[in-house]
Amino acid sequence: MATFVKPVYGLLCAALIAASGVRAEVLGATAIQVKPERIVLLDIQRVGGHLFSAGERGWILHSTDNGRHWQSVRSPADRTLTALAFADEQLGIAIGHGATLLRTTDGGQQWTAVPLDDIGRDSLLGVIHLGDQHFVAYGAFGLYLESHDGGLHWSRRQLLDEHFDRHIARVIKAADSLFLFGESGTLLRSSDLGQSWQALPSPYEGSFFGALVTPAGALLAFGMRGNLYRSADQGQSWQQIALDTKAALQGGAILADGRIVLVGNAGLVAFSADDGRSFALSRTARGGLAQVVAVEDGVLAVGDAGVQALSLKQTAAN
């Protein structure tokens, strides 16, 4: 297998210049204010009335007014942060390159580095909250970590068998199952919250970079070269959805009106008004986009141009 490269190919050129290592001390908001349009950001998440975004050099941005203004929080990490997940408005986890794992218990004002003894330094690419104190973090070369105490302690789980080493791009919860998407068409399902996994037939041999559950409960999986698939039967069969682009799809969200928005490299934005059965393209974004979130007055995306508002206008249909 090739040397690991973070799936957001177009977004990491600036982020990879970050220095290595994680400092052990706790750091909070500093006098330095990072301009939200001048930083590479790889994730954005809403928790209650708060927005959080994370990216290069361990920076985390926090907004309480739907992204109109942002506070910069310097975390203990020096490596690029790739994803965030929150249990509630106080308890959250941030993860990133070099097995970076951070924890907050005060709504993101301060973050503490969590040591991952004997787990190695492979990059973490995603994190999900599964209820109560249960978090799962995952990433390169089959790295899959689980915590049942709100992120204080983590253990590594083996997926399928000891030979599983595919990069894991996204884990989502749909109904009573977890679905795992990754490199080389990797597609797994768990009916017991990750205690055991079953490989599903994959419609695609390339890498998946993201997935989401539609308002009607269908699954969308997407990845390289604009490849997009939909399943209405919990991953047993898949239909390819035509999308007139070769740009990689990276992230997505459900809007308040039920529409689905997907984003990706080269400013790709795509909307669906029929539960993911078809998509229309929009070309209004700048740079590569990693993730998107709905806000009260529209949509915010993050990527190599920092935070930007997206137009909701659909300009091209398949």
Side-chain angles (χ1 to χ4, degrees), residues 21-247:
V22 177
R23 298 194 302 276
E25 71 268 27
V26 178
L27 295 177
T30 73
I32 300 173
Q33 287 298 302
V34 174
K35 293 182 178 180
E37 72 278 6
R38 298 292 299 276
I39 180 174
V40 177
L41 297 168
L42 298 184
D43 195 18
I44 184 168
Q45 297 291 330
R46 172 181 290 282
V47 52
H50 301 259
L51 291 174
F52 293 91
S53 186
E56 63 176 312
R57 302 191 185 192
W59 284 102
I60 296 174
L61 305 186
H62 176 209
S63 174
T64 58
D65 58 3
N66 285 297
R68 297 180 184 88
H69 303 90
W70 293 89
Q71 175 195 33
S72 306
V73 179
R74 188 68 175 93
S75 81
D78 288 323
R79 303 292 296 269
T80 296
L81 299 177
T82 54
L84 298 152
F86 283 79
D88 51 42
E89 292 191 6
Q90 298 301 310
L91 175 60
I93 301 294
I95 53 89
H97 289 180
T100 298
L101 200 149
L102 311 175
R103 181 175 185 265
T104 182
T105 58
D106 62 2
Q109 294 304 304
Q110 291 185 323
W111 296 81
T112 304
V114 179
L116 298 177
D117 298 332
D118 302 321
I119 287 177
R121 307 305 299 169
D122 289 332
S123 291
L124 289 164
L125 304 178
V127 59
I128 183 173
H129 174 241
L130 296 177
D132 297 326
Q133 299 285 295
H134 190 186
F135 286 89
V136 165
Y138 49 87
F141 303 109
L143 182 59
Y144 187 94
L145 308 179
E146 191 171 38
S147 173
H148 289 278
D149 60 5
L152 280 171
H153 302 91
W154 296 80
S155 58
R156 183 166 188 168
R157 297 193 63 87
Q158 179 177 289
L159 304 183
L160 296 184
D161 56 43
E162 67 273 17
H163 303 297
F164 181 82
D165 63 353
R166 301 293 91 180
H167 306 323
I168 304 169
R170 192 62 52 94
V171 175
I172 63 172
K173 186 176 182 181
D176 296 326
S177 296
L178 296 183
F179 291 86
L180 182 152
F181 302 84
E183 178 191 24
S184 305
T186 297
L187 176 54
L188 308 181
R189 179 179 180 177
S190 173
S191 58
D192 53 13
L193 287 182
Q195 301 308 297
S196 62
W197 293 88
Q198 168 195 4
L200 297 178
S202 178
Y204 174 54
E205 295 182 355
S207 292
F208 291 113
F209 293 159
L212 56 77
V213 182
T214 73
L219 302 177
L220 289 180
F222 41 87
M224 296 177 64
R225 298 179 61 80
N227 279 283
L228 172 63
Y229 298 86
R230 184 178 188 272
S231 174
D233 57 8
Q234 293 290 286
Q236 295 304 309
S237 63
W238 296 83
Q239 174 191 5
Q240 185 166 16
I241 306 301
L243 200 60
D244 187 20
T245 182
K246 296 300 182 182

